């Protein structure tokens, strides 16, 4: 929930701005145990995509030569739906587009189907990694629209949030994740800022909520500071909104990842324990069912 | 249970006291300030042959039983001229003593004889007094004399570091300290994240500190007792005292309601750091519209109903408010916290040998956070409220026994963590507001007696009980999915879980000679209420929770041994103390616990439990009089924790584990008008949990953390200086004033508050660099305060 994140931001802000003096310090951290990181997903009606990367010592810088070394390119990645099995093939097309992950393994046979379970097996660097996920029933938004953000009177009402209303069915328990894609401006679907929800928080209610446009990388502080439209959607853009339904383990992974990304390193909170759902490595193997909506901002 | 107590009671009385069968009489009375009528706590009243003495209790009452005969009776107390009177003791005598305040400071008073040295003679190990007069001489940060800051200069007592509320005694957590203000519990004694305490020194008389070996009349906390007494207020004439400082001001007014019979005292303090800072902030700073302030109010009224009865009514109310809002960015965050206490006490003197006090107490602490951003609103509240009644008796049946017994009952109401939220006007389903109720009670018996002329024993037994009652709903969770599978509902008053325990206390003092002694102590304590820290830094957001069926009471055992020696006719006090503590049923939040986990859930479903161990050595040398006074304290200690569910079941350092802690305090009287003081402290750096490695998910850098608290931040040290100057007055006037100039952190050491990591570059473009940055809080801070009295 966004507000919990603001809570800790306020506390940090207080100490840093009122009296804070900062200086760079040099910390000697021991070399870490080498681990593999899996980022895999299979979406309804699409092929599986899996990336295998490595962890690095905390302070080691990344540049063009070291970046490539982060990716494992000789792994054997296998996806199965219980009846069919497919080995995924190395694909470099993301690198050209500048979309993360730059190097990944893609499928061409198995497409994600609602209600099915998918198993992942990876043989890499002498390790065997496994994972399992399901694609739950898709969810629908009742309606979706855009409103300019009048309160700030910015740029003559060209910036605002996308709003949606959702009728929750209390007899079912859903976890969902939201993405947005501005045609011609974004390189791929970008998760919202605070993208995952557990519908138990608004069980049985008709919820109206606004969407804060996310950024491709929270770690990229520079771009974030330069983005004049941060969180907003601009009039004139055509935006695709995707609402996906995910299973509980998949939700727990993104919830803890986002918690860590927004609050990691915050001394006011204990470090977040990431709930990885793969065995033998860090990371995630998740299924998505998806419903798409398209909105032309500003056109009623 | 009853029989056990009676048995003990008679056992103590029957112990041989090696006294001869000579007629004995008791002399007793109240010691007061001649000018104000204020009762003086901790005054030494003694005779020299035999060397026998007593100290006045919290109400200024002393009682001394001696053999029939003629004596020179002495009374002495810091800040007052020594008093003496020849007495003929041939019957039980009532003698009230009035001491006159010394115009010249104690350091210049020639001591006519030896005084009993509490540190050598008393059988209490790990206990010391802090007279307010002494605290007022220590460098004051921003001119605000602070009890907690001064307390942390003593060995065995450490602060959590700048920006951290709470203090740590012998490796114990901040919730393990019992802080009492006129017998009412103060749950959060800090303003401004630990920079100031809530105690306004102008309203206080005395502070007695027990570092763990507490006698049986205290209980409910494992680590320490801070027993603070407010002044009564002069019942002779009206007085006012106060100070104007750079960031805070205070005023105390006291006086008689009916001369010599009743009096009042009111004391208030407020900061205006927000008003002072505003002109220095840039227009664009988000802090521009922000406000921070705190205030305290202490009030007390007392009435001497008769020679045998006194009534006191005292109260404290204070609050911190931090408002971080911006109308341009359309957000508002208000954080506030504060305590309120009120106490009604009745002293009754049955006869010369039996004194009783009955108190009725109300105490409340609450913390609130209200946030608004666009259409989102959130409120978070937590707190604790106590209704408390207690009765304490002091019985001195013979010269060699001081018996204390009594009972204590508290009704607690806890609000652990109530969250409510709204989005677009729709309230979110975050569960009903939770309140937890419990009863806590105790009875105790304690006897301090001389086994021989060289051995004094202080033995006691406390029987305590705790009962968690409804209304309460227990949510039973599936351990894997964390979904609620069942719930058990308890009706109002229905017993959910009861605990009861015996707590033995034992301390002994062996005199080696007039100048030295050895003391030993053994204590077992149970603590039924706990502070769950949601963060790695101690904050007002920490929540108080009761013991429940899942949360067992904390159990502590402490062993201590010390050697005490005075030099040069008591000019120097020195001691070496070692201690070892074992703590069971310590609480931490489960790894990965988040605020959301409290929704539709019992707070205690998110806890995990384990043990703690702490041991250390404390060295202390104190120069008590002369032009130069002060002390040096050094503590070496190690505090660890062992939790099956944290750090993979491996032992890890406690968050406030501090290997070395050094304090040097020096106060020098240049002349009658000017005194200077300096403080230097050094402490091993705080622990931190830092990342061991990093990896990338979805284009974001994710930290993988190393062992809990495995990293040590750089050491903390700083020096403070202070000068007090009383300008000469051509004619002595009723209005007195003085100036205090002080500098905090003289050599501007950037002590680390926390370490965070800054990324530059963009992983999407294939470049990334990470730097570690350290944030420090307080640089060199000079201040000026104008103090006045009339």
């Amino acid at each position: 929930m966004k507000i919990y994140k603001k809570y800790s931001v306020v506390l940090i802000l207080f100490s840093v701005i009122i009296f804070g003096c900062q200086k760079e310090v040099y910390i000697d951290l021991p070399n870490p145990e080498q681990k593999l990181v899996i980022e895999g997903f299979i979406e309804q009606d699409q092929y599986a995509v899996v990336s295998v990367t490595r962890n690095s010592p905390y302070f080691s810088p990344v540049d063009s030569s070291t970046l490539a070394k982060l990716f494992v390119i000789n792994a054997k990645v296998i996806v199965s739906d219980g009846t069919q099995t497919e080995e995924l093939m190395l694909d470099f097309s993301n690198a050209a587009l500048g979309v993360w992950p730059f190097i990944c393994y893609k499928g061409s046979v198995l497409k994600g189907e609602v209600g099915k379970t998918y198993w992942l097996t990876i043989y890499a660097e002498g390790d065997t990694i496994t994972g399992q996920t399901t694609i739950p029933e898709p969810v629908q938004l009742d309606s979706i629209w855009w409103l300019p953000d009048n309160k700030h009177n910015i740029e003559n009402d060209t910036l605002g949030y996308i709003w949606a209303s959702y009728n929750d069915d209390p007899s079912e328990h859903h976890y969902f994740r939201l993405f947005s894609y501005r045609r011609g401006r974004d390189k791929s679907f970008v998760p919202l800022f605070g993208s995952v929800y557990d519908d138990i928080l608004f069980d049985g209610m008709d919820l109206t909520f606004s969407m804060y446009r996310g950024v491709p990388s929270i770690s990229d502080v520079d771009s974030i500071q330069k983005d004049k439209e941060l969180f907003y959607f601009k009039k004139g853009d055509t935006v695709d909104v995707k609402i996906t339904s995910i299973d509980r383990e998949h939700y727990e992974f993104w919830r803890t990842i986002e918690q860590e990304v927004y609050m990691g390193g915050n001394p006011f909170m204990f470090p977040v324990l990431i709930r990885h759902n793969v065995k033998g490595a860090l990371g995630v193997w998740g299924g998505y069912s998806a419903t798409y909506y398209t909105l032309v901002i500003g056109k009623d | 249970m009853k029989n056990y107590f009676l048995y003990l009671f008679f056992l103590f009385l029957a112990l041989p006291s090696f006294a001869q069968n000579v007629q004995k009489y008791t002399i007793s009375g109240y010691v007061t300030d001649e000018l104000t009528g204020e009762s003086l706590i901790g005054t030494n009243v003694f005779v020299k042959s035999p060397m026998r003495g007593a100290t006045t209790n919290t109400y200024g009452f002393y009682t001394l039983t001696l053999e029939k005969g003629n004596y020179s009776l002495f009374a002495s107390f810091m800040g007052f001229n020594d008093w003496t009177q020849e007495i003929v003791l041939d019957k039980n005598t009532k003698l009230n003593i009035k001491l006159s305040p010394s115009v010249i400071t104690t350091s210049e008073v020639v001591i006519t004889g030896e005084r009993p040295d509490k540190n050598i003679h008393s059988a209490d190990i790990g206990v010391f007094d802090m007279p307010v007069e002494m605290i007022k001489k220590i460098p004051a940060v921003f001119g605000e004399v602070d009890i907690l800051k001064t307390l942390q200069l003593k060995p065995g007592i450490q602060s959590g570091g700048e920006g951290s509320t709470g203090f740590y005694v012998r490796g114990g957590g901040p919730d393990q300290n019992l802080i009492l203000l006129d017998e009412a519990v103060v749950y959060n004694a800090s303003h401004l994240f630990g920079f100031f305490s809530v105690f306004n020194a102008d309203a206080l008389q005395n502070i007695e500190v027990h570092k763990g070996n507490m006698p049986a009349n205290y209980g409910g906390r494992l680590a320490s007792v801070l027993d603070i007494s407010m002044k009564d207020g002069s019942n002779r004439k009206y007085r006012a005292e106060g100070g104007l400082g750079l960031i805070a001001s205070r005023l105390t007014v006291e006086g008689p309601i009916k001369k010599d019979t009743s009096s009042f005292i009111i004391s208030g303090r407020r900061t205006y750091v927000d008003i002072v800072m505003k002109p220095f902030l840039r227009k664009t700073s988000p802090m521009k519209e922000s406000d921070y302030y705190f205030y305290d109010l202490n009030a007390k009224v007392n009435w001497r109903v008769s020679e045998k009865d006194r009534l006191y009514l005292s109260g404290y109310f204070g609050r911190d408010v931090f408002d971080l809002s911006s109308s341009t960015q359309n957000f508002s965050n208000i954080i506030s916290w504060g305590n309120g206490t009120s106490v009604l006490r009745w002293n009754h003197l049955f006869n010369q040998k039996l004194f009783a006090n009955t108190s009725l107490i109300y105490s409340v602490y609450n913390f609130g956070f209200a946030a608004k951003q666009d259409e989102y609103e959130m409120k978070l509240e937590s707190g604790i409220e106590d209704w408390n009644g207690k009765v304490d008796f002091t019985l001195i049946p013979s010269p060699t026994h001081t018996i204390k017994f009594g009972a204590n009952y508290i009704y607690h109401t806890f609000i652990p963590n109530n969250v409510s939220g709204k989005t677009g006007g729709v309230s979110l389903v975050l569960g009903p507001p939770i309140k937890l109720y419990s009863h806590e009670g105790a009875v105790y018996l304690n006897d301090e007696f001389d086994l021989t002329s060289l051995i004094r024993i202080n033995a006691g037994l406390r029987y305590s009980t705790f009962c968690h009652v409804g209304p309460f709903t227990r949510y039973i969770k599936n351990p894997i999915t964390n979904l609620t599978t069942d719930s058990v509902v308890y009706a109002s008053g229905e017993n959910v879980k009861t605990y009861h325990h015996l707590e033995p206390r034992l301390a002994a003092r062996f005199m080696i000679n007039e100048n030295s002694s050895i003391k030993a102590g053994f204590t077992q304590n149970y603590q039924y209420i706990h502070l769950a820290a949601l963060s790695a830094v101690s904050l007002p957001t920490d929540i108080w929770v009761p013991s429940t069926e899942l949360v067992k009471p904390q159990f502590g055992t402490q062993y201590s041994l010390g050697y005490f020696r005075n030099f040069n006719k008591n000019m120097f006090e020195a001691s070496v103390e070692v201690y070892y503590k074992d703590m069971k049923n310590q609480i931490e939040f489960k790894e990965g616990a988040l605020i959301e986990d409290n929704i539709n859930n019992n707070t205690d479903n998110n806890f995990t439990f384990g043990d703690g161990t702490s041991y250390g050595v404390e060295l202390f040398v104190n120069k008590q009089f002369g032009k130069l006074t002060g002390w040096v304290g050094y503590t070496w200690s190690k505090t660890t924790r062992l939790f099956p569910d944290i750090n993979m079941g491996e032992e890890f350092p406690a968050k406030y584990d501090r290997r070395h802690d050094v304090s040097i305090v020096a106060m020098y009287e240049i002349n009658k008008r000017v005194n200077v003081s300096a403080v230097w402290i050094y402490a091993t750096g705080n622990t931190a949990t830092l990342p061991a490695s990093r990896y990338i998910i979805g284009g974001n850098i994710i930290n993988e953390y190393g062992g809990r608290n495995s990293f040590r931040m750089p050491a903390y040290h700083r020096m403070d200086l202070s000068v007090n100057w009383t300008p000469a007055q051509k004619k002595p006037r009723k209005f007195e004033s003085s100036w205090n100039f002080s500098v905090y952190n003289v050599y501007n050491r950037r002590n680390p508050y926390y370490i965070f990591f800054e990324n530059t570059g963009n992983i999407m473009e294939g470049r990334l660099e990470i730097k570690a940055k350290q944030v420090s809080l307080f640089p060199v801070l000079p201040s000026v305060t104008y103090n006045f009295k009339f």
Side-chain angles (χ1 to χ4, degrees):
Chain A
M1 295 234 73
K2 300 174 191 52
I3 290 179
Y4 296 107
K5 288 138 194 164
K6 289 234 177 6
Y7 174 44
S8 60
V9 166
V10 164
L11 286 170
I12 274 208
L13 230 50
F14 167 64
S15 62
V16 172
I17 293 172
I18 277 204
F19 286 118
C21 327
Q22 300 176 19
K23 70 170 186 187
E24 189 173 345
V25 286
Y26 297 98
I27 296 177
D28 215 355
L29 291 174
N31 269 334
E33 186 192 328
Q34 295 218 336
K35 293 189 186 166
L36 291 176
V37 184
I38 311 300
E39 206 181 325
F41 64 90
I42 180 161
E43 193 179 308
Q44 171 185 8
D45 303 326
Q46 291 184 13
Y47 299 117
V49 179
V50 176
S51 77
V52 184
T53 54
R54 297 186 179 90
N55 67 344
S56 358
Y58 200 74
F59 293 108
S60 60
V62 175
D63 54 34
S64 45
S65 60
T66 51
L67 183 62
K69 293 199 190 112
L70 282 180
F71 293 90
V72 175
I73 52 175
N74 55 1
K76 197 169 160 125
V77 183
I78 299 164
V79 174
S80 156
D81 67 349
T83 32
Q84 263 191 296
T85 305
E86 179 190 358
E87 183 176 337
L88 305 185
M89 304 310 291
L90 257 191
D91 185 299
F92 296 88
S93 51
N94 278 354
L97 292 170
V99 171
W100 180 270
F102 305 130
I103 302 171
C104 51
Y105 298 82
K106 281 194 181 163
S108 52
V109 175
L110 279 174
K111 278 196 181 177
E113 285 176 55
V114 173
K116 272 192 162 173
T117 305
Y118 294 89
W119 286 266
L120 177 71
T121 312
I122 302 179
Y123 301 100
E125 316 221 311
D127 290 332
T128 304
I129 299 155
T130 54
Q132 180 185 329
T133 190
T134 55
I135 296 183
E137 283 295 316
V139 286
Q140 265 86 40
L141 290 170
D142 205 43
S143 52
I144 183 167
W145 67 96
W146 176 86
L147 276 179
D149 190 11
N150 290 314
K151 293 171 198 163
H152 300 166
N153 222 6
I154 295 168
E155 293 207 21
N156 305 319
D157 300 344
T158 55
L159 296 178
Y161 300 116
I162 291 181
W163 289 77
S165 72
Y166 173 75
N167 291 335
D168 184 68
D169 181 353
S171 66
E172 285 174 9
H173 194 175
H174 293 290
Y175 302 94
F176 47 87
R177 192 171 187 213
L178 290 155
F179 301 80
S180 68
Y181 171 65
R182 295 175 298 176
R183 293 192 192 172
R185 298 184 68 185
D186 288 329
K187 292 176 179 165
S188 64
F189 273 89
V190 177
L192 293 189
F193 190 67
S195 66
V196 282
Y197 292 92
D198 177 348
D199 76 358
I200 208 155
L201 287 172
F202 33 88
D203 223 11
M205 297 196 314
D206 292 336
L207 183 73
T208 301
F209 63 98
S210 60
M211 301 188 196
Y212 283 58
R213 183 176 59 82
V215 294
S217 172
I218 300 285
S219 321
D220 184 9
V221 184
D222 265 348
S223 309
I224 292 174
Q225 280 175 345
K226 287 181 194 152
D227 189 347
K228 294 210 170 78
E229 299 168 36
L230 188 62
F231 303 140
Y232 290 123
F233 293 93
K234 192 174 175 181
K235 205 169 187 175
D237 282 346
T238 303
V239 180
D240 292 316
V241 172
K242 174 167 72 169
I243 178 167
T244 63
S245 182
I246 57 183
D247 66 24
R248 196 185 55 84
E249 290 82 7
H250 192 185
Y251 161 78
E252 286 289 303
F253 176 78
W254 290 111
R255 179 183 76 111
T256 51
I257 284 281
E258 288 192 346
Q259 198 90 26
E260 169 59 30
V261 166
Y262 298 137
M263 297 203 296
N266 180 344
F268 302 111
M269 294 278 164
F270 285 120
V272 180
L273 193 71
I274 307 288
R275 314 251 168 107
H276 308 280
N277 76 341
V278 291
K279 288 197 177 68
L282 305 171
V284 63
W285 166 236
Y288 291 97
S289 61
T291 313
Y292 291 83
Y293 298 88
T294 305
L295 206 61
V296 179
I297 307 286
K299 233 192 190 175
D300 291 318
Chain B
M1 266 309 114
K2 263 201 199 146
N3 288 335
Y4 193 11
F5 268 99
L6 279 174
Y7 172 69
L8 279 174
F9 187 67
F10 288 121
L11 183 69
F12 286 143
L13 286 182
L15 278 170
S17 56
F18 291 94
Q20 286 156 342
N21 217 358
V22 178
Q23 193 63 356
K24 293 194 187 66
Y25 296 108
T26 302
I27 178 167
S28 65
Y30 289 91
V31 179
T32 55
D33 176 330
E34 186 179 64
L35 281 183
T36 66
E38 184 82 44
S39 308
L40 298 175
I41 302 169
T43 306
N44 293 317
V45 180
F46 59 102
V47 294
K48 287 180 193 167
S49 52
M51 183 57 104
R52 270 255 139 77
T55 28
T56 50
N57 70 5
T58 326
Y59 304 97
F61 181 73
Y62 77 93
T63 168
L64 193 54
T65 304
L66 302 166
E67 290 165 18
K68 179 177 176 174
N70 297 354
Y71 297 93
S72 298
L73 187 68
F74 293 90
S76 74
F77 188 61
M78 185 171 186
F80 291 85
N81 293 323
D82 282 355
W83 172 98
T84 182
Q85 184 172 309
E86 298 301 313
I87 56 168
V88 173
L89 193 63
D90 56 1
K91 59 180 184 293
N92 288 335
T93 310
K94 196 87 206 324
L95 179 62
N96 289 333
I97 302 171
K98 291 182 168 56
L99 298 185
S100 61
S102 52
V103 174
I104 31 179
T105 55
T106 347
S107 54
E108 292 198 26
V109 172
V110 173
I111 311 297
T112 51
E114 282 180 11
R115 26 162 156 210
D117 320 296
K118 209 159 173 221
N119 73 319
I120 300 281
H121 287 249
S122 111
D124 294 317
I125 184 172
V127 67
F128 59 92
D129 272 328
M130 288 210 307
V132 175
E133 282 309 305
M134 182 265 280
I135 297 173
K136 286 187 170 177
K137 289 197 186 142
I138 310 263
V141 185
F142 288 117
E144 280 299 309
V145 161
D146 196 87
I147 296 172
L148 292 189
K149 282 258 169 328
T150 308
L151 190 66
Q152 290 156 20
L153 296 171
K154 293 277 178 144
I157 302 178
Q158 303 156 356
S159 82
E162 270 159 12
S164 178
T165 61
F167 56 96
Y168 308 96
V169 179
R170 289 187 170 169
D175 64 331
Q176 297 178 346
N177 303 316
L178 181 65
I179 303 174
L180 300 170
L181 178 62
D182 271 3
E183 301 203 274
V185 178
V186 177
Y187 283 98
N188 181 347
S190 294
H191 283 310
L192 194 52
F193 299 102
F195 205 64
F196 292 114
S197 69
V198 303
F199 305 112
N200 179 349
D202 288 345
L204 307 180
Q205 235 225 77
N206 187 49
I207 298 109
E208 188 178 79
V209 183
H210 294 261
K211 279 190 298 196
N213 282 97
M214 52 190 87
N217 51 312
Y218 294 112
R221 301 287 190 280
L222 294 194
S224 75
V225 178
L226 203 63
D227 196 343
I228 303 172
S229 319
M230 271 182 67
K231 275 189 181 160
D232 291 338
S234 167
N235 62 14
R236 304 212 128 188
K237 52 189 199 143
Y238 293 98
R239 294 176 64 208
E241 195 181 341
L244 297 170
L246 279 188
I247 65 161
S249 286
R250 53 187 211 285
L251 179 65
T252 302
V253 177
E254 55 180 301
I257 297 174
K258 186 173 172 194
K259 198 169 178 201
D260 286 327
T261 306
S262 63
S263 62
F264 72 93
I265 179 169
I266 298 183
S267 198
R269 177 170 71 163
R270 196 210 195 267
T271 53
Y272 27 79
V273 61
D274 46 333
I275 301 171
V276 167
M277 288 283 291
K278 282 218 168 107
F280 299 100
L281 293 173
R282 294 187 309 273
K283 275 218 177 74
T284 51
S285 165
M287 304 299 292
K288 198 65 180 171
E289 289 174 65
S290 298
D291 266 319
Y292 172 76
Y293 61 91
F294 72 76
Y295 60 85
D296 298 305
L297 190 66
N298 289 70
K300 187 168 180 177
V301 162
N302 80 80
W303 180 28
R304 238 165 258 192
V305 180
S306 70
E307 264 305 298
K308 292 188 174 225
D309 294 285
R310 286 177 182 207
L311 279 177
Y312 302 85
L313 179 62
S314 51
Y316 165 78
F317 187 70
R319 198 134 202 96
D320 277 66
V321 177
F322 179 48
D323 183 345
L324 178 66
S325 302
S326 165
S327 54
T328 50
Q329 295 190 43
N330 201 37
F331 68 81
S332 144
N333 293 299
I334 302 177
I335 309 177
S336 70
W337 65 92
N339 300 289
T341 68
S342 106
V343 186
L344 177 63
R345 287 183 297 175
W346 170 41
N347 276 181
H348 182 67
L349 198 57
F350 288 91
N351 55 52
Q352 303 254 337
K353 298 185 178 185
L354 182 60
F355 177 93
N357 179 63
T358 308
S359 302
L360 293 175
I361 304 160
Y362 173 75
S363 173
V364 66
Y365 169 70
N366 55 52
F367 167 83
F369 173 63
K372 252 184 110 157
Q373 161 98 42
D374 299 324
E375 77 289 356
Y376 290 105
E377 265 181 61
M378 186 193 87
K379 278 205 177 109
L380 186 146
E381 282 188 309
S382 79
I384 180 170
E385 186 189 45
D386 287 351
W387 289 96
N388 181 6
K390 61 198 292 261
V391 59
D392 298 286
F393 292 89
T394 305
L395 172 67
I396 304 179
S398 78
T400 50
H401 286 268
T402 304
I403 299 177
K404 290 190 179 171
F405 59 96
N408 188 346
Y409 166 75
I410 312 176
Y411 179 66
H412 297 288
T413 304
F414 297 83
I415 300 174
N417 206 348
N418 274 343
V419 185
S420 59
K422 273 188 192 170
T423 171
V426 176
S427 291
L428 297 173
V429 175
L430 297 172
I434 297 172
K435 279 193 177 176
L436 301 171
Y437 305 91
S438 58
H439 303 283
E440 185 173 348
V443 293
Y444 69 88
L445 175 64
N446 198 81
D447 187 15
E448 185 170 6
F449 60 97
D450 287 327
L451 189 64
T452 71
S453 59
L454 296 177
I455 302 176
R456 178 174 293 173
I457 310 264
N458 192 328
L461 191 65
R462 188 179 176 91
Y463 169 69
S464 58
T465 170
F466 188 86
C467 198
H468 176 210
V469 295
F472 175 65
T473 305
R474 161 66 63 196
Y475 296 99
I476 297 169
K477 297 263 171 185
N478 176 313
I480 298 172
T481 63
N482 211 33
L483 296 172
T484 307
T485 53
D486 199 4
S487 58
V488 182
V489 179
Y490 296 88
S492 176
E494 190 183 337
N495 177 36
V496 181
K497 180 75 186 177
T498 303
Y499 292 99
H500 56 106
H501 295 284
L502 277 178
E503 303 176 26
R505 315 280 173 90
L506 186 63
R509 177 265 286 148
F510 310 88
M511 291 287 292
I512 298 174
N513 55 45
E514 269 307 299
N515 292 322
S516 59
S517 63
I518 287 182
K519 298 190 206 176
F522 167 76
T523 312
Q524 288 199 320
N525 299 67
Y526 281 87
Q527 180 166 335
Y528 299 102
I529 72 176
H530 323 274
L531 193 61
L534 195 59
S535 71
V537 173
S538 185
L539 288 178
T541 54
D542 299 341
I543 57 183
W544 285 96
V545 293
S547 292
T548 64
E549 53 199 332
L550 293 185
V551 181
K552 298 200 183 75
Q554 297 182 45
F555 172 48
T557 305
Q558 186 179 188
Y559 306 88
S560 51
L561 184 65
Y563 172 66
F564 296 78
R565 174 106 155 86
N566 284 7
F567 297 88
N568 210 345
K569 279 203 176 154
N570 303 312
M571 185 182 272
F572 291 93
E573 273 187 337
S575 63
V576 179
E577 273 185 66
V578 299
Y579 73 88
Y580 176 83
K581 263 165 77 162
D582 181 58
M583 297 168 275
K584 298 229 180 305
N585 302 324
Q586 304 297 284
I587 297 181
E588 294 261 5
F589 269 97
K590 285 186 179 145
E591 266 182 339
L594 304 159
I595 301 176
E596 292 98 284
D597 294 334
N598 285 323
I599 296 166
N600 279 330
N601 194 1
N602 302 115
T603 319
D604 59 2
N605 278 332
N606 294 318
F607 293 144
T608 183
F609 307 97
D611 296 340
T613 307
S614 179
Y615 51 89
V617 181
E618 295 163 9
L619 298 171
F620 182 66
V621 178
N622 181 19
K623 181 170 193 275
Q624 300 193 88
F625 31 92
K627 280 209 161 209
L628 174 69
T629 55
W631 68 82
V632 176
Y634 170 69
T635 307
W636 181 98
S637 67
K638 191 164 183 216
T639 309
T640 54
R641 302 196 120 192
L642 185 63
F643 278 64
D645 290 338
I646 292 183
N647 207 40
M648 293 177 295
E650 290 183 16
E651 194 178 80
F652 60 94
K655 141 171 90 183
Y656 35 81
D657 171 39
R658 191 163 294 156
R659 199 68 65 246
H660 306 280
D661 194 275
V662 182
S663 308
I664 300 179
V665 178
M667 298 170 276
Y668 187 73
E669 308 253 330
I670 297 179
N671 57 46
K672 288 180 206 175
R673 306 238 159 265
V674 185
N675 66 63
V676 298
S677 59
V679 164
W680 183 75
I681 53 183
Y682 174 92
T684 308
N686 279 339
T687 58
T689 306
L690 289 192
S693 76
R694 62 155 210 265
Y695 55 96
I696 302 171
I697 292 279
N700 299 308
I701 296 162
I702 311 295
N703 296 338
E704 199 202 352
Y705 289 93
R708 176 76 80 105
N709 297 338
S710 56
F711 182 75
R712 280 282 165 188
M713 299 226 265
Y716 179 100
H717 55 91
R718 67 162 214 272
M719 176 182 285
D720 303 333
L721 294 175
S722 164
V723 178
N724 275 315
W725 170 54
T726 310
Q729 287 176 335
K730 290 186 189 126
K731 291 183 211 166
R733 291 187 302 180
K734 204 182 168 207
F735 186 89
E736 292 167 35
S737 63
S738 67
W739 290 89
N740 170 285
F741 305 94
S742 64
V743 184
Y744 178 88
N745 197 2
V746 169
Y747 52 85
N748 200 20
R749 160 122 175 125
R750 291 273 189 264
N751 285 307
Y753 179 34
Y754 61 81
I755 289 176
F756 72 100
F757 302 99
E758 194 176 73
N759 315 326
T760 45
N762 180 5
I763 195 72
M764 302 304 258
E765 288 168 23
R767 308 172 286 113
L768 181 71
E769 210 190 312
I770 300 185
K771 289 188 188 160
K773 290 260 177 106
Q774 168 186 294
V775 172
S776 305
L777 274 187
F778 303 118
V780 57
L781 297 171
S783 74
V784 179
T785 309
Y786 174 68
N787 294 311
F788 57 86
K789 220 194 275 206
F790 57 89

